[in-house]
Amino acid sequence: MLRWLTLALLWSTTCRAAQMYGEGGGKHFSTSSDCEITGVRVAVGLLGLVKSIQVRCGVSWSAVFGTPGGTTQEFLLQPGEHIDLIYGSYRMFIRYLVIFTDQGHYATFGKEDGNTFTVFPNKQGKVLTGICGQHKPLGLSGLCFEWGYPLEEDWTTVQPTSQ
């Protein structure tokens, strides 16, 4: 019995300890969970499905997670700005995302359709530090979000000292 419970947990649609939003299923992906997210790119296809997602960690972009295609939009954060709330919707696939920052900025991707979700950190001062999820050939089937405290120093704005 314990073996079946362990296997069921391993095959479930959760991303680590985070809650999955969407139906899930397909290939799993995860960004680094210990970076300062400074931007997000989202591609939306003709059918209104979110095809892929990519995050910028400092000045470097992660791999593209999801499936190729669609129209890509980019949301760049200002130095010291952090993502603190995500609103979205899904049916069989993720269809809509709105990303909000602690500076009052936001970006929308796709069109709202289906079940909605709102995600934010469980403690004051925490921010988005990673994204995980699953994708199938048509697009992202589920997303989960990792929250943590921002890095103490924003390395993208540190200037080298001259000697």
Side-chain angles (χ1 to χ4, degrees):
M1 181 67 175
L2 183 58
R3 188 166 104 183
W4 287 109
L5 180 59
T6 303
L7 289 174
L9 287 173
L10 290 173
W11 288 330
S12 69
T13 61
T14 59
C15 288
R16 297 184 213 160
Q19 179 178 345
M20 175 79 71
Y21 298 92
E23 299 291 323
K27 186 176 179 182
H28 178 270
F29 69 87
S30 182
T31 68
S32 171
S33 62
D34 61 351
C35 83
E36 190 84 16
I37 294 178
T38 58
V40 179
R41 287 180 183 150
V42 176
V44 178
L46 293 175
L47 299 175
L49 307 178
V50 174
K51 306 284 278 176
S52 64
I53 194 163
Q54 184 179 24
V55 300
R56 190 172 82 166
C57 188
V59 295
S60 301
W61 286 98
S62 71
V64 176
F65 298 105
T67 59
T71 302
T72 302
Q73 291 178 268
E74 187 174 275
F75 181 44
L76 298 177
L77 281 60
Q78 299 298 312
E81 186 174 27
H82 303 95
I83 296 169
D84 64 355
L85 187 133
I86 308 235
Y87 175 82
S89 70
Y90 66 92
R91 284 194 179 194
M92 292 181 67
F93 294 91
I94 302 294
R95 295 176 175 267
Y96 184 61
L97 290 172
V98 185
I99 299 173
F100 295 89
T101 74
D102 55 4
Q103 303 284 321
H105 300 122
Y106 66 93
T108 62
F109 307 94
K111 293 183 182 175
E112 187 171 353
D113 185 20
N115 303 307
T116 62
F117 60 88
T118 303
V119 190
F120 51 89
N122 62 356
K123 291 187 180 175
Q124 183 73 23
K126 284 190 172 183
V127 299
L128 185 69
T129 57
I131 298 175
C132 55
Q134 296 178 332
H135 66 90
K136 295 178 180 178
L138 290 178
L140 299 183
S141 57
L143 287 172
C144 50
F145 307 96
E146 299 176 20
W147 306 93
Y149 292 102
L151 300 175
E152 289 187 26
E153 188 168 1
D154 184 2
W155 295 103
T156 62
T157 58
V158 173
Q159 300 296 320
T161 56
S162 54
Q163 298 182 7

